[in-house]
Amino acid sequence: EYQYNNNIMNLRIFNKNRADISGSEFEGKRIKELNLEEKALTIVILEMKSSEDKEAALAAQWEYQGGFYQLSGKADEKEFIKILESIIY
């Protein structure tokens, strides 16, 4: 859990080979695919909003080197993408 502009961002990392990741994928409106060619990976970005939320949350999920990664929280889309692009593995 990380704080970003008074909002909480969650980063979850799973071992892709473990059974506990099944059913853990986010559901929402797919708004973008971010291709990071230098890392040879594609990140799916989703928008999630419940009826109680005033502002939509963003979520991203991707696989990289045997891991399944998820990042979620409320942020501006451009800033969210900057965070994703700056992750160091």
Side-chain angles (χ1 to χ4, degrees), residues 28-57:
K29 178 183 174 188
R30 188 182 196 135
I31 59 170
K32 189 173 195 122
E33 269 192 15
L34 180 62
N35 292 306
L36 301 179
E37 292 180 17
E38 69 277 2
K39 295 175 185 162
L41 64 95
T42 300
I43 300 173
V44 175
I45 301 174
L46 305 156
E47 182 180 76
M48 303 179 305
K49 187 173 182 179
S50 70
S51 58
E52 303 90 44
D53 288 333
K54 293 179 183 175
E55 180 184 343

Side-chain angles (χ1 to χ4, degrees), residues 1-16:
E1 224 173 63
Y2 301 91
Q3 186 167 349
Y4 170 78
N5 289 343
N6 297 321
N7 290 311
I8 300 296
M9 302 289 285
N10 291 295
L11 176 64
R12 298 174 11 158
I13 304 170
F14 299 92
N15 180 331
K16 193 172 92 172

Side-chain angles (χ1 to χ4, degrees), residues 31-89:
I31 59 170
K32 189 173 195 122
E33 269 192 15
L34 180 62
N35 292 306
L36 301 179
E37 292 180 17
E38 69 277 2
K39 295 175 185 162
L41 64 95
T42 300
I43 300 173
V44 175
I45 301 174
L46 305 156
E47 182 180 76
M48 303 179 305
K49 187 173 182 179
S50 70
S51 58
E52 303 90 44
D53 288 333
K54 293 179 183 175
E55 180 184 343
L58 295 174
Q61 48 196 27
W62 65 99
E63 294 179 14
Y64 185 70
Q65 293 186 345
F68 180 70
Y69 296 78
Q70 295 178 318
L71 179 68
S72 63
K74 293 186 178 180
D76 174 74
E77 184 179 335
K78 288 180 183 177
E79 289 299 315
F80 191 75
I81 290 171
K82 282 183 189 178
I83 292 168
L84 291 168
E85 290 173 334
S86 66
I87 292 175
I88 299 172
Y89 299 90

